[in-house]
Amino acid sequence: MIEVIGIPGSREFEVANHFREVFASQWPGLAESPAIEEHVKIAANAKLSGGPVSDIDVVIAAVFARSRHYAVRRPTKDREGKHVSGVKVRVKSFVCAVEVKSQDGSGISINGDEINVRYRGRWKSATEQNVKQVHALKAAFENQHLSCFVYRCVVLDGIDELPKIAGRPQPDAGAVAGGFKAGEFLSAVAGVYGLYRYKGEYSISSGKPEDIRKALEAPIFRGIVPTRLDRQKMDRIAARRPESIEIAAKLGEQRVHIRGHGGTGKTVMMLQAAHEAFERHGKRCLILTYNNALASDIRRSLAMLGVPSFGDGGGVEVRTAMSFTYSWLSRLGVSSPEEKGSYETYEQECSEALELIRAGAITREDIAAVLNADLDRFDVDVIIVDEAQDWPQPEAQLLSALYGGQRISIADGREQLLRGRPTNWSKTLGEGHEATERNLSRCLRMKKNLGIFANSVASEAGLNWEVEPNDEAAGGKVILLEGQYGEDPSLVSELVKVAKRDGNDLVDFLHCVPHSAVIEIDGHRESDLSRLLIEQGYETWDAVDEVVRQDFPRSNSQFRIVQYESNRGLEGWVTVLDRFDLAIANREDWELRRVNASDDSTDPVRRARNAAWRWAMISLTRPIDTLVISLGDKDSAAANLLKRVASMHEDFVEFYNR
């Protein structure tokens, strides 16, 4: 069996289909053979998460139970350095990372084994890029406890044949030209490390058959099928609205500052503009967020749209702010390369780097050298900062010192603060530069009743907070129950039934849990809600674990679970706020400790309470159609407030087990 996974339309998908054709031609019967005997999967525009490499043009994994061979027609070497030609090689299995380059002959330079391509007026190493992909793919498999040897190859799709020196194609290995045959490709990948000889037979193998079969089931080889909600989000992102077209033209040249409460469409507007900037202007747009779960959610949407990360023609990349900034700090010598990010020292290190730049100890030439040494990571046209109100001030100023404040646009969630004082981004714009501002007030995410409910909660809590309910999306309901969500399987089953009737899937549910619901076993974190749902026969994407939330959910049959602190920017057709009152009480305790530790302790209890309820409004603006709130302590202050508000709106609020 041969499978091609990916979204049609890209050049990478065409190359993936070419692989299918040449494998089927090389080995008759392969395409029709059962997967249990021999199986080849070819993933185009494969997405990885959580590392420095997020895109691989084509990934191939293959395993063969029967004897499959190819003939070596291109001179190569074995692992002992002996020249090999005219022999048959058995292919047992292989995993390969493929980089596709479409430059013509004038845009390609080959020096020994290294292939360089002209990119944005400069030369960069396609070979080095391919090697990084190999390491990233290997690391992704290791995270899944799989041991696979990963081969590499660069497909130079813009030329018909490799250049020759003294009649020999260059480079000796690791590359093929467009229109290649299966034997040429296999010789190229095997030649990088040398052919392996075992019991008198040359062979290619990436590992034990059982490991390769497990690799074939890895997330990278799972096609993503958009849900109805996904398709709506994709349509919104790809919509060429006049406002998005206007913003896209400004991105990278002038700051765009979008403000709005949760659910008013800040992130979608920025994604629309970034998509337009890529499609129309070929810009490289970097989106930075502190929220790993949100980063995964955006990557999922971009993957389904077929938007590349950073390719030769632009793209949209999503990274977490700390990991990106620490990459700069290590290259500038402020932190060690091994530094994985410490919240305790992070702000101080950003301040130190900023002072070195201001004092001239780090020059513009030093910054340019870092950028040129790793174009794939650092060379961007546009930076979009999500939840910009919550950045450490030195980090915001350092980013502006590196790239220029006008190149940075921001989405500001107003009072959606998790870390304390709001960031003053006006300090990061140079003299003579101004920001274009957009203020959003209409609630686009939530149906009308949910907007009304959120406004009532804010009013009852004494907050200066309000959104304009969406009159064009009537309906929406709230369910209030006592005890942990999931303890009553009938409620879960009914919500699933209604959601599916409306055309939604399990992945369209969003569950938020307090940190007290998280269990750690052998270094792995999971939520007690996940355990409950799994016992009822459901699958979960339990993103309370760091490794899990680095990747997006690959199956539509997975319930999404995050901690409250990780739900900013996310949405769910059905959103469950599990033991919400306990989460609010925990937040109030945290805020009280922070207020007491500050210099200004005027009425600390009131300040902590108000801050906790402002934080709670982030979660209350996550639902689209249905909001489920469970109360861990029915007599708590937060529970009583929520019950009072619910009693005001009994026309659309259901008291499930009162």
Side-chain angles (χ1 to χ4, degrees):
M1 175 183 286
I2 308 176
E3 295 182 67
V4 174
I5 299 109
I7 300 172
S10 69
R11 187 59 190 142
E12 292 80 9
F13 190 80
E14 293 179 12
V15 172
N17 272 320
H18 182 70
F19 273 111
R20 174 169 55 185
E21 293 168 4
V22 298
F23 290 153
S25 176
Q26 176 72 25
W27 297 309
L30 173 62
E32 297 79 26
S33 63
I36 195 171
E37 291 185 12
E38 46 190 2
H39 199 177
V40 179
K41 283 189 176 181
I42 308 163
N45 303 112
K47 295 285 184 181
L48 297 176
S49 295
V53 175
S54 54
D55 271 13
I56 304 179
D57 289 343
V58 181
V59 177
I60 310 170
V63 63
F64 304 94
R66 66 175 68 180
S67 181
R68 293 295 190 183
H69 294 82
Y70 77 95
V72 176
R73 306 191 188 282
R74 174 178 171 177
T76 188
K77 294 181 180 179
D78 63 17
R79 294 194 178 181
E80 296 178 356
K82 298 178 181 178
H83 287 279
V84 177
S85 182
V87 300
K88 289 178 65 177
V89 177
R90 181 180 176 184
V91 183
K92 297 179 179 178
S93 65
F94 65 90
V95 177
C96 186
V98 178
E99 173 69 8
V100 179
K101 294 297 182 187
S102 298
Q103 284 87 346
D104 61 17
S106 64
I108 299 170
S109 172
I110 298 175
N111 183 15
D113 293 331
E114 185 172 35
I115 303 166
N116 291 285
V117 295
R118 192 184 299 278
Y119 164 77
R120 294 161 67 96
R122 291 171 286 192
W123 291 95
K124 77 169 186 177
S125 173
T127 303
E128 181 181 347
Q129 186 177 4
N130 199 203
V131 170
K132 289 178 181 178
Q133 293 167 345
V134 168
H135 292 312
L137 186 56
K138 185 178 179 182
F141 286 135
E142 287 174 349
N143 283 338
Q144 297 156 50
H145 308 291
L146 297 175
S147 177
C148 300
F149 183 84
V150 180
Y151 292 93
R152 65 175 174 86
C153 186
V154 177
V155 174
L156 297 172
D157 197 40
I159 58 177
D160 295 329
E161 62 177 7
L162 296 178
K164 295 179 180 179
I165 296 179
R168 295 187 59 175
Q170 300 297 312
D172 289 334
V176 291
F180 60 87
K181 297 180 179 179
E184 293 172 332
F185 164 73
L186 292 165
S187 291
V189 301
V192 173
Y193 306 101
L195 280 169
Y196 174 67
R197 189 177 182 89
Y198 180 70
K199 292 184 177 180
E201 181 183 45
Y202 286 112
S203 63
I204 291 178
S205 172
S206 278
K208 298 177 181 178
E210 55 268 28
D211 284 342
I212 307 305
R213 289 196 176 277
K214 289 178 182 177
L216 284 162
E217 301 306 317
I220 198 170
F221 289 117
R222 295 178 195 163
I224 308 170
V225 179
T227 67
R228 184 181 70 89
L229 198 59
D230 286 327
R231 287 192 292 272
Q232 290 177 350
K233 187 185 298 184
M234 291 160 62
D235 288 343
R236 293 202 305 269
I237 293 172
R240 308 193 73 176
R241 296 175 55 203
E243 191 169 26
S244 299
I245 294 173
E246 179 188 346
I247 292 173
K250 294 178 179 179
L251 288 180
E253 308 296 331
Q254 180 182 353
R255 173 169 299 171
V256 178
H257 187 165
I258 297 178
R259 291 189 177 93
H261 287 308
T264 53
K266 303 180 300 299
T267 302
V268 168
M269 180 173 285
M270 280 299 194
L271 285 174
Q272 287 173 338
H275 183 267
E276 181 72 15
F278 154 64
E279 288 280 3
R280 179 172 289 200
H281 305 289
K283 292 181 180 178
R284 290 162 58 99
C285 302
L286 173 64
I287 298 174
L288 294 178
T289 175
Y290 266 95
N291 188 345
N292 275 296
L294 176 59
S296 294
D297 187 71
I298 296 173
R299 289 187 190 112
R300 174 183 165 89
S301 297
L302 295 175
M304 289 183 291
L305 279 167
V307 177
S309 294
F310 287 163
D312 295 344
V316 182
E317 173 71 286
V318 187
R319 295 178 188 161
T320 56
M322 275 188 67
S323 65
F324 180 71
T325 305
Y326 260 117
S327 296
W328 268 106
L329 291 173
S330 64
R331 298 297 180 90
L332 295 173
V334 178
S335 67
S336 68
E338 293 77 23
E339 179 63 69
K340 294 184 179 180
S342 166
Y343 285 107
E344 291 72 22
T345 61
Y346 181 58
E347 191 168 339
Q348 177 185 340
E349 289 175 303
C350 288
S351 296
E352 182 182 342
L354 190 59
E355 286 304 314
L356 290 171
I357 292 172
R358 287 171 174 169
I362 295 176
T363 65
R364 299 311 306 176
E365 290 74 18
D366 295 330
I367 293 170
V370 171
L371 189 148
N372 289 324
D374 197 341
L375 295 171
D376 291 329
R377 179 175 298 188
F378 298 120
D379 185 23
V380 301
D381 301 308
V382 178
I383 296 176
I384 296 174
V385 174
D386 191 54
E387 301 297 349
Q389 75 283 351
D390 218 11
W391 274 44
Q393 189 68 40
E395 180 189 29
Q397 291 180 237
L398 174 60
L399 190 69
S400 299
L402 293 170
Y403 286 97
Q406 73 279 1
R407 203 183 299 187
I408 302 167
S409 290
I410 59 179
D412 177 351
R414 289 185 177 170
E415 295 181 344
Q416 295 187 130
L417 297 173
L418 293 182
R419 296 178 180 84
R421 295 180 180 177
T423 313
N424 185 351
W425 281 92
S426 63
K427 288 185 176 181
T428 67
L429 264 180
E431 190 174 342
H433 292 284
E434 295 182 356
T436 297
E437 297 194 359
R438 296 284 191 278
N439 289 290
L440 308 179
S441 60
R442 191 176 187 188
C443 185
L444 299 177
R445 174 184 298 128
M446 300 184 290
K447 290 187 175 180
K448 182 178 179 179
N449 290 339
L450 300 178
I452 293 171
F453 184 82
N455 283 341
S456 295
V457 171
S459 176
E460 189 70 12
L463 303 181
N464 182 20
W465 187 103
E466 186 177 11
V467 295
E468 179 186 341
N470 190 354
D471 289 331
E472 295 181 6
K477 73 175 183 177
V478 179
I479 299 174
L480 197 67
L481 68 143
E482 295 175 358
Q484 182 181 4
Y485 176 80
E487 289 181 337
D488 185 347
S490 63
L491 174 59
V492 180
S493 176
E494 180 62 22
L495 288 169
V496 169
K497 178 182 176 182
V498 172
K500 288 191 172 182
R501 182 198 66 196
D502 293 338
N504 298 287
D505 289 281
L506 301 192
V507 76
D508 297 323
F509 282 61
L510 176 66
H511 304 76
C512 305
V513 298
H515 62 77
S516 58
V518 178
I519 308 160
E520 185 164 340
I521 302 173
D522 298 328
H524 167 74
R525 290 161 58 89
E526 61 182 53
S527 64
D528 56 6
L529 178 56
S530 177
R531 285 190 167 189
L532 268 177
L533 294 173
I534 289 171
E535 287 172 2
Q536 295 170 32
Y538 299 104
E539 298 177 41
T540 66
W541 179 75
D542 194 5
V544 304
D545 184 75
E546 182 179 2
V547 174
V548 172
R549 67 174 176 266
Q550 286 178 352
D551 193 16
F552 50 78
R554 305 269 178 165
S555 168
N556 293 347
S557 299
Q558 292 176 302
F559 279 134
R560 291 177 295 151
I561 302 174
V562 300
Q563 287 183 233
Y564 281 101
E565 291 75 11
S566 297
N567 68 21
R568 285 196 306 190
L570 302 179
E571 63 184 17
W573 181 258
V574 176
T575 295
V576 176
L577 306 183
D578 191 28
R579 291 159 286 184
F580 190 34
D581 58 319
L582 300 184
I584 296 170
N586 290 335
R587 184 70 187 189
E588 187 171 343
D589 289 342
W590 182 88
E591 292 284 357
L592 185 59
R593 290 193 299 272
R594 187 177 65 82
V595 170
N596 284 333
S598 67
D599 295 333
D600 182 8
S601 58
T602 306
D603 200 352
V605 174
R606 181 183 62 82
R607 289 180 60 193
R609 179 183 179 277
N610 287 348
W613 277 104
R614 283 196 300 271
W615 172 83
M617 299 310 299
I618 300 173
S619 300
L620 286 167
T621 54
R622 299 306 99 200
I624 298 173
D625 176 83
T626 302
L627 172 63
V628 181
I629 301 175
S630 85
L631 304 175
D633 178 2
K634 61 185 179 62
D635 297 319
S636 68
N640 284 325
L641 186 151
L642 290 164
K643 286 189 286 187
R644 287 197 303 273
V645 173
S647 297
M648 301 174 191
H649 302 290
E650 291 190 345
D651 52 332
F652 61 80
V653 177
E654 174 187 347
F655 291 87
Y656 184 72
N657 52 6
R658 186 166 72 174

